[in-house]
């Protein structure tokens, strides 16, 4: 689990006194940190430490930490890099446990910096210190008005329920500025720096337990502790706290952990996508979407479904919303007859009661038209969520009248039996008039712009589905105990088809019948037993991609053709330096759809399941879905149904529809077998898995063991 205890972090982010060590009038960092503490409501003592300058920022300084009378709860270190260890040692001797290190020049600059950073880590560990940074700006505890942060914080500092954790110092201020511009309140914002002694997952862990925080927003350059991240994400999902993440670094670097086809499907960014999807982490593509989505979910919590009723005063906006709803997988159902009847009573005669609902520009004459229409739509039994398109005015000729109008709408929103999501037309700053009006009217949060608002709504609906599935227990993973049959070789190197298929068949994976032959005559005999036509494959233990070397013969219809094919295989493999005298005989299967189901050990996330279309063409088609193991049958079925070509499995072009429940069971079982094999396993691949109606058979398999 986290290296810093959550209770310690609660103490860390709530100091009653702060010492700024290295305070100087020559540094903008120093002045900003001092002003932030004084101007944003910190009620504790602020001590300035500078051994050479008696007055800094207009107040008397102390020569050292030891010279400060009374307790110090947090030390903010801004000294030259060579002085930092001395500050930590002196503070530890005084019993001070909490430190923010602004100073840079550590691991981010090279080997010498790495050595200096290790020294900081060693001191922290030796004295049991809680250290944020180095090379970080600090934190902003808006909920408690505690702001030891090294860049200017313009007013107003808006307290709220979004906790923000960033692996970037400079972007932290941009995120804060955007949140302020859109009236999104934060509980805590932390700029992590180098994470020498306190990690992103430590702060996430504390935010899951924080009563002030409803949503966690992350800017991630890397995930340093994947297993810990996954554990905390599961805790957040169980607690109903969404995590929204902007993860950068979409590298195409492929995993090198396996030689099978599966290895080409698993890359760093694809695996992160899969992990986030399973863990209920919402992945966004911009800083704007990060904060708009987090702000929306902080306001709404879990949403009951994807059927959206839209109320707007604009026909053009209705069309944009319709297009974006389709992009996001949101349904815009027709209103019930009772709803349309009730709407005709409140709408002007030239308005049409469709969904999306354009109440028209008549809102300028009837100031309560939007709220009346909203109340009607909210009662529609076929709608799960209401989307209200409404902005705060930038100016208003009659502030009191505007307050009355918005207060009335806010009352309808609060009394609505369905959640109401409010979205503005475009992404612009909330004006001072709009801010004052929202506060006076008690109006909810408005998501910025149709584009970002619809993106956020789609994310919120999908997260809510994951949350409900998790709460129901449908995500419980499949688990098995494996049976090791007689005659299997040691767990080393690669088990090719002969051994891998036998092992999987013994453990409940439906495999095509196979016979092993050591001569052409024996192969012909087995072919007569299993029935023509047959497939003949080389069974050499050191052979992985048999077809590339002439080790596979298809569609053999009689005994003589089997004998001839066996001789051809032996000759082809001999030329390639392999033994081809032992072969596997299988009945020839035709028709159906070929899938790949494979497991590979990702170096960061561990065993990862890949489901893909295409058989031998899998790498070219690139139609795959990844999931971290273990998985439930429901998760396996979702992976299959998320393939771009899943329509083929549902019976496209006259094919018999596949039994998707049974297919999900086979996929989940293959994953469970991989998990049960433990740390010895490097990769496991079934390719192809042939699906034809209710018949599911694995035609080939490969298992690779770790060295």
């Amino acid at each position: 689990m986290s290296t810093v205890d959550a209770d310690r972090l609660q103490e860390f982010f709530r100091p009653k006194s702060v010492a700024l060590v290295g305070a100087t009038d020559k540094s903008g960092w120093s002045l900003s940190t001092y002003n932030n503490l004084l101007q944003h409501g910190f009620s504790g003592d602020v001590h300035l430490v500078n051994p050479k300058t008696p007055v800094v920022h207009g107040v008397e300084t102390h020569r050292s930490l030891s010279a400060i009378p009374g307790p110090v709860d947090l030390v903010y270190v801004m000294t030259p890099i060579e002085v930092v260890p001395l500050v930590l040692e002196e503070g530890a001797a005084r019993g001070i446990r909490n430190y923010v290190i602004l100073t840079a020049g550590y691991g981010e600059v090279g080997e010498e910096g790495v050595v200096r950073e290790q020294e900081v880590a060693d001191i922290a560990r030796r004295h049991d210190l809680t250290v944020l940074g180095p090379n970080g700006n600090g934190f902003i505890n808006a909920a408690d008005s505690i702001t030891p942060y090294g860049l200017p914080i313009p007013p107003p500092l808006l307290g709220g329920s979004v906790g923000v954790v960033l692996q970037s110092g400079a972007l932290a201020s941009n995120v804060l500025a955007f949140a302020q511009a859109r009236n999104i309140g934060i509980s805590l914002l932390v700029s992590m720096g180098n994470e020498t002694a306190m990690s992103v997952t430590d702060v996430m862990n504390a935010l899951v337990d924080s009563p002030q925080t409803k949503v966690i927003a992350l800017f991630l350059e890397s995930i340093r502790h994947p297993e810990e991240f996954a554990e905390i994400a599961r805790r957040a999902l169980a607690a109903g706290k969404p995590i929204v993440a902007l993860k950068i670094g979409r590298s195409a670097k492929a995993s090198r952990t396996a030689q099978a086809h599966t290895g080409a499907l698993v890359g760093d960014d694809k695996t992160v996508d899969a992990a986030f999807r399973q863990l209920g982490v919402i992945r966004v593509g911009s800083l704007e979407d990060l904060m708009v989505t987090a702000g929306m979910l902080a306001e709404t919590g879990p949403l009951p479904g994807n059927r959206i009723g839209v109320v707007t005063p604009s026909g053009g906006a209705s069309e944009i919303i319709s297009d974006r709803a389709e992009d996001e997988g949101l349904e815009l159902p027709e209103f019930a007859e009772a709803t349309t009847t009730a709407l005709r009573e409140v709408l002007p005669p030239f308005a049409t009661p469709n969904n999306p609902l354009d109440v028209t520009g008549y809102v300028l004459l009837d100031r309560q038209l939007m709220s009346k229409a909203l109340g009607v739509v909210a009662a529609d039994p076929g709608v799960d969520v209401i989307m209200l398109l409404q902005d705060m005015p930038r100016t208003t000729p009659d502030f009191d009248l505007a307050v009355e109008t918005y207060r009335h709408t806010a009352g309808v929103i609060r009394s609505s039996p369905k959640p109401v999501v409010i979205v503005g037309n475009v992404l612009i700053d909330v004006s001072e008039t709009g801010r004052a009006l929202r506060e006076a009217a008690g109006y909810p949060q408005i998501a910025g712009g149709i584009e970002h608002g619809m993106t956020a709504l789609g994310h919120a609906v999908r997260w809510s589905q994951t949350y409900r599935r998790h709460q129901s227990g449908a995500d419980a993973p499949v688990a098995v105990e494996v049976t090791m049959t007689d005659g299997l070789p040691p767990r080393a190197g690669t088990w090719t088809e002969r051994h891998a298929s036998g092992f999987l068949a013994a453990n409940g994976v439906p495999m095509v019948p196979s016979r092993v032959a050591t001569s052409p005559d024996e192969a012909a005999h087995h072919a007569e037993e299993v029935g023509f036509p047959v497939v003949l494959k080389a069974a050499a233990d050191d052979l992985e991609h048999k077809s590339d070397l002439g080790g596979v013969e298809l569609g053999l219809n009689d005994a003589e053709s089997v004998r001839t094919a066996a001789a051809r295989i032996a000759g082809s493999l001999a030329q390639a330096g392999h033994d081809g005298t032992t072969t596997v005989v299988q009945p020839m299967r035709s028709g159906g759809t070929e899938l790949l189901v494979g497991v590979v050990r990702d170096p960061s996330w561990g065993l990862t399941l890949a489901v893909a279309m295409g058989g031998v063409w899998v790498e070219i088609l690139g139609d795959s879905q990844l999931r971290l193991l273990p998985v439930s049958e429901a998760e396996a079925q979702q992976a299959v149904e998320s393939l771009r070509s899943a329509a083929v499995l549902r019976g496209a072009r006259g094919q018999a529809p596949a039994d998707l429940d049974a297919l999900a069971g086979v996929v989940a079982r293959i994953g469970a077998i991989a998990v049960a094999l433990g740390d010895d396993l490097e990769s496991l691949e079934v390719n192809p898995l042939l699906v034809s109606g209710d018949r599911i058979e694995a035609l080939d398999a490969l298992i690779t063991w770790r060295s």
Side-chain angles (χ1 to χ4, degrees):
M1 260 307 289
S2 299
T3 55
V4 183
D5 182 80
D7 291 337
R8 284 281 295 270
L9 283 185
Q10 298 297 334
E11 168 195 304
F12 181 91
F13 292 122
R14 290 180 175 81
K16 295 182 175 61
S17 59
V18 177
L20 306 184
V21 180
T24 170
D25 289 323
K26 300 176 182 178
S27 168
W29 302 97
S30 176
L31 182 60
S32 293
T33 308
Y34 181 70
N35 285 341
N36 288 338
L37 287 164
L38 266 59
Q39 293 174 3
H40 293 288
F42 181 57
S43 59
D45 295 324
V46 180
H47 307 285
L48 305 185
V49 177
N50 188 315
K52 298 179 181 178
T53 307
V55 176
V56 171
H57 308 326
V59 299
E60 292 185 3
T61 65
H62 303 279
R63 291 186 57 81
S64 66
L65 281 173
S66 302
I68 298 174
V72 174
D73 296 324
L74 177 72
V75 177
Y76 194 94
V77 185
M78 302 176 285
T79 66
I81 194 168
E82 62 273 8
V83 180
V84 172
L86 303 177
V87 174
L88 297 178
E89 294 283 5
E90 181 186 11
R94 268 206 61 170
I96 304 171
R97 301 200 300 179
N98 302 317
Y99 299 80
V100 174
I101 302 178
L102 175 74
T103 307
Y106 289 91
E108 76 277 7
V109 300
E111 287 301 318
E112 183 179 346
V114 169
V115 173
R116 290 182 179 275
E117 190 166 329
Q118 185 59 51
E119 183 181 14
V120 169
D122 292 342
I123 294 171
R125 185 165 46 252
R126 187 164 63 248
H127 296 296
D128 192 24
L129 308 180
T130 304
V131 178
L132 174 62
N135 188 32
N137 289 331
F139 67 87
I140 299 169
N141 180 349
D144 298 309
S145 300
I146 303 171
T147 53
Y149 184 75
L151 294 172
I153 305 172
L157 177 59
L158 302 175
S161 53
V162 177
V164 185
V165 190
L166 303 107
Q167 289 177 325
S168 170
L171 287 182
S173 292
N174 300 117
V175 168
L176 177 65
F178 180 79
Q180 290 172 317
R182 289 303 312 169
N183 243 31
I184 301 169
I186 64 170
S187 57
L188 178 71
L189 182 147
V190 184
S191 172
M192 294 305 307
N194 291 9
E195 300 182 59
T196 301
M198 183 192 301
S199 68
V200 164
T201 45
D202 290 321
V203 182
M204 287 172 60
N205 197 42
L207 290 174
V208 172
D209 293 330
S210 166
Q212 291 99 341
T213 301
K214 294 181 180 178
V215 181
I216 301 168
L218 307 174
F219 174 83
L220 300 172
E221 295 172 340
S222 64
I223 300 174
R224 304 187 183 196
H225 310 290
E227 289 186 8
E228 190 174 302
F229 182 95
E231 183 175 348
I232 295 167
R234 291 187 188 100
R235 281 216 314 125
L237 186 60
K241 289 193 177 184
I243 297 175
V244 187
L246 174 56
K247 168 67 174 68
I248 62 171
R250 294 179 177 272
S251 73
K253 184 177 69 175
S255 169
R256 296 185 176 89
T257 58
Q259 297 175 357
H261 288 289
T262 309
L265 301 177
V266 181
D268 294 349
D269 198 63
K270 290 181 180 179
T271 311
V272 169
D273 258 348
F276 281 10
R277 189 184 303 110
Q278 279 177 262
L279 297 169
V281 176
I282 300 166
R283 189 172 189 181
V284 296
S286 69
L287 292 172
E288 292 86 353
D289 284 333
L290 177 70
M291 295 309 296
V292 171
T293 303
M296 179 182 289
L297 276 161
E299 195 77 26
T300 67
L303 298 175
N306 74 331
R307 301 175 301 172
I308 313 299
V310 180
V311 180
T312 166
S314 165
S318 296
E319 294 171 0
I320 297 172
I321 291 167
S322 296
D323 289 345
R324 290 291 290 113
E326 185 172 318
D327 296 339
E328 296 295 336
L330 303 174
E331 185 181 344
L332 301 177
E334 295 295 329
F335 290 137
E337 185 177 346
T339 303
T340 57
T341 300
L343 284 172
R344 287 191 181 97
E345 295 178 1
V346 300
L347 294 173
F350 48 84
T352 304
N354 293 330
N355 186 23
L357 175 64
D358 173 14
V359 301
T360 77
Y362 205 75
V363 291
L364 296 175
L365 297 177
D366 183 352
R367 289 181 170 271
Q368 293 188 2
L369 177 57
M370 287 280 281
S371 59
K372 287 186 286 188
L374 173 64
V376 174
V377 173
D380 191 293
V383 168
D384 300 313
V385 180
I386 316 301
M387 175 181 164
L388 179 65
L389 193 72
Q390 190 168 49
D391 281 301
M392 281 289 151
R394 300 192 65 74
T395 61
T396 177
D398 190 332
F399 186 81
D400 292 337
L401 180 60
V403 168
E404 180 184 342
T405 301
Y406 278 86
R407 183 178 290 148
H408 182 270
T409 305
V412 175
I413 292 169
R414 283 193 295 272
S415 62
S416 169
K418 314 281 177 65
V420 178
V421 173
I422 310 162
V423 176
N425 285 277
V426 294
L427 185 62
I428 56 175
D429 292 359
V430 178
S431 68
E432 289 304 315
T433 298
R435 199 184 301 275
L437 179 56
R438 179 177 177 236
E439 184 175 352
Y443 204 75
Q445 171 71 35
I446 300 175
I450 296 173
E451 173 63 27
H452 295 287
M454 292 300 294
T455 297
L457 183 54
H459 284 312
V461 166
R462 288 187 291 275
W463 175 84
S464 301
Q465 291 168 343
T466 302
Y467 172 68
R468 286 194 299 274
R469 194 170 64 244
H470 182 81
Q471 294 295 100
S472 72
D475 278 342
V478 174
V480 299
E481 291 185 9
V482 295
T483 299
M484 306 302 292
T485 56
D486 294 337
L488 290 174
R491 295 189 182 192
T494 298
W495 287 4
T496 52
E497 181 178 10
R498 177 170 45 156
H499 299 302
S501 295
F503 167 75
L504 291 175
N507 285 280
V509 177
M511 305 294 300
V512 68
S514 298
R515 302 284 191 276
V516 177
T518 57
S519 69
D521 285 339
E522 189 177 6
H525 174 72
H526 288 326
E528 290 174 340
E529 286 184 335
V530 301
F532 294 105
V534 298
V535 178
L536 196 63
K537 303 176 184 178
D541 290 338
D542 61 345
L543 197 61
E544 293 168 10
H545 301 303
K546 298 179 286 291
S547 58
D548 296 342
L549 299 176
V552 178
E553 294 275 348
L554 306 175
L556 305 174
N557 291 306
D558 53 52
E560 188 56 36
S561 62
V562 171
R563 292 186 184 93
T564 303
R568 264 198 311 268
I569 288 175
S572 296
L573 265 63
Q575 289 182 358
H578 298 279
D579 177 15
T581 57
T582 302
T583 55
V584 173
V585 182
Q586 296 173 339
M588 179 77 179
R589 300 300 194 210
S590 60
T593 303
E594 291 188 348
L595 289 144
L596 174 145
V597 180
V599 175
V600 66
R601 187 176 296 278
D602 182 85
S604 297
W605 294 94
L607 291 177
T608 304
L609 174 74
V611 181
M613 285 284 191
V616 296
W617 300 102
V618 59
E619 295 164 40
I620 297 172
L621 297 177
D623 186 10
S624 64
Q625 287 286 315
L626 303 183
R627 296 294 186 271
L628 300 187
L629 290 177
V631 295
S632 63
E633 286 195 15
E635 189 69 44
Q637 184 159 342
Q638 186 185 60
V640 170
E641 294 183 348
S642 297
L643 292 167
R644 295 194 304 274
S645 46
V648 176
L649 293 168
R650 299 189 187 100
R653 293 189 173 272
Q655 291 197 73
D659 184 339
L660 294 180
D661 290 337
L663 176 58
V666 173
V667 172
R669 187 166 192 84
I670 292 170
I673 290 170
V675 172
L677 289 174
D679 292 340
D680 291 343
L681 182 70
E682 184 63 55
S683 69
L684 183 160
E685 181 173 288
V686 171
N687 183 30
L689 180 70
L690 186 66
V691 182
S692 180
D694 59 0
R695 191 184 78 203
I696 302 169
E697 274 185 324
L699 306 187
D700 203 347
L702 186 72
I703 296 175
T704 303
W705 301 100
R706 300 176 81 181
S707 300

